[in-house]
Amino acid sequence: MKIVEVGPRDGLQNETAQIPTGVKIAYIDALSETGVAEIEVSAFVSPRWVPQLDDAAAVFDGIDRRKNVVYSALVPNERGLARALDARVDKVSVFTAVSETFNQKNINTTFAGSLRRFAPVVAGAQRERLPVRGYVSTAFWCAFEGPIAPQAVVGVVDRLVDMGVGEVSISDTIGKAAPDEVRRLLDLLLPRLPVGRIAMHFHDTYGRGVANVLAAWSYGISTFDASAGGLGGCPYAPGASGNVATESVVTALEEKGVSTGVDLEKLSRASGLLTPYLVDTRRSQPEADAPACAACQFSTGDVCCERYQRQA
């Protein structure tokens, strides 16, 4: 079982508070002792768009790396790759979405444009013999377009694999997926891609993150993204609350008899390092049958009205 701790990147990027670089380094060092297999340390993106991660190079330079932990980073383009290579990352991740609207709002391009943008990243990482992960966002629902067809997700995954992406992380960006939807998608994906190349990335907006993890696990999926303390969300997805908590994922899997190798006490201590700096402004969990944007105060239905975007 492989737990990918995404709190330092996917978690912190959505926080309003600026976390001091030294605190981030201590947080990651503490996470390194918990037994997680991989830590997504940061992202080499423009500080203009994600100011919370503008110290990515300094964080990589300051952490105490352990041999049994992979230290990865999100890399959106060639400039980011150059910075990532200078920082000696172990693995790079690229990002796209099935929803064209989400791509436009998040990375200001189409799906095809995202492929053109990160194709040199994949090629460059391969030259350096670095593994590459591809995030497939809005794989179940999109706050702007509503439900996403599983066949469309398969088409995106096929394109990423053809480009040389070794691992795909199937992401429930707004946290609206239900276990049946997870199973329907995996029924289509698994005949096309070995189970070891698929990771699942769930958010817990509707309280179904753990149930979705267990549904994927029943299909043989053994790589799960999670965030200590449920930290994070998505700044470009109205209503999306935090990632499924690492503690919850570990507990649920251990109760099923699965050894995760993660120490919950050490995980709690790591999360505690951030507590003094976080401002908890998360909206309350919506009802199970609520619409896609239910966690947003402007929600009117299954498709985003964009009022949150205009107010942000």
Side-chain angles (χ1 to χ4, degrees):
M1 185 59 58
K2 176 182 174 183
I3 302 296
V4 180
E5 175 56 56
V6 300
R9 193 281 297 179
D10 197 27
L12 292 183
Q13 75 172 12
N14 200 42
E15 292 298 320
T16 56
Q18 284 287 335
I19 310 299
T21 301
V23 174
K24 292 180 184 178
I25 291 170
Y27 172 52
I28 293 164
D29 285 347
L31 289 172
S32 295
E33 298 178 0
T34 63
V36 296
E38 180 178 335
I39 300 173
E40 190 176 45
V41 172
S42 194
F44 290 93
V45 296
S46 169
R48 175 185 175 190
W49 299 113
V50 190
Q52 297 89 335
L53 304 180
D54 64 356
D55 56 356
V59 172
F60 265 99
D61 186 58
I63 59 176
D64 181 15
R65 306 190 192 207
R66 291 180 173 260
K67 290 183 179 179
N68 60 335
V69 179
V70 172
Y71 297 93
S72 61
L74 184 70
V75 177
N77 50 40
E78 286 186 276
R79 176 181 291 184
L81 178 63
R83 294 172 60 202
L85 294 177
D86 287 343
R88 298 181 297 111
V89 302
D90 296 326
K91 179 179 179 180
V92 301
S93 299
V94 294
F95 175 97
T96 192
V98 184
S99 161
E100 288 287 15
T101 308
F102 188 81
N103 273 323
Q104 289 285 358
K105 291 181 178 292
N106 189 15
I107 54 178
N108 198 32
T109 189
T110 61
F111 167 65
S114 72
L115 296 187
R116 289 192 295 271
R117 187 178 292 173
F118 66 64
V121 175
V122 176
Q126 289 176 326
R127 286 194 298 272
E128 299 294 329
R129 298 186 178 181
L130 291 177
V132 181
R133 159 182 276 210
Y135 280 105
V136 180
S137 195
T138 61
F140 300 95
W141 285 79
C142 171
F144 307 105
E145 296 184 8
I148 299 296
Q151 294 83 357
V153 181
V154 172
V156 169
V157 170
D158 284 346
R159 294 288 300 275
L160 294 180
V161 170
D162 289 344
M163 289 181 66
V165 169
E167 176 186 69
V168 292
S169 180
I170 306 300
S171 304
D172 179 23
T173 307
I174 67 169
K176 189 175 170 62
D180 283 349
E181 293 171 311
V182 173
R183 287 187 280 266
R184 281 197 294 272
L185 179 55
L186 290 176
D187 281 337
L188 293 178
L189 277 180
L190 288 176
R192 310 172 71 90
L193 195 64
V195 67
R197 296 180 65 181
I198 299 174
M200 304 300 293
H201 182 113
F202 295 113
H203 286 221
D204 209 27
T205 312
Y206 294 83
R208 294 194 285 260
V210 169
N212 289 333
V213 166
L214 293 178
W217 168 74
S218 73
Y219 273 65
I221 302 297
S222 60
T223 301
F224 294 99
D225 299 353
S227 177
L231 190 67
C234 179
Y236 299 97
S241 62
N243 296 276
V244 64
T246 310
E247 297 89 336
S248 299
V249 172
V250 169
T251 299
L253 290 171
E254 296 277 355
E255 287 178 350
K256 293 292 185 181
V258 179
S259 176
T260 64
V262 176
D263 186 312
L264 288 174
E265 289 187 7
K266 291 181 178 179
L267 195 61
S268 178
R269 286 199 292 271
S271 294
L273 295 173
L274 297 182
T275 302
Y277 302 91
L278 300 179
V279 179
D280 192 356
T281 57
R282 298 173 200 169
R283 293 174 288 276
S284 59
Q285 178 179 308
E287 297 298 326
D289 59 351
C293 294
C296 174
Q297 66 267 40
F298 303 124
S299 175
T300 58
D302 276 343
V303 176
C304 180
C305 67
E306 300 192 39
R307 287 182 64 195
Y308 177 87
Q309 294 290 93
R310 293 195 294 269
Q311 298 264 337

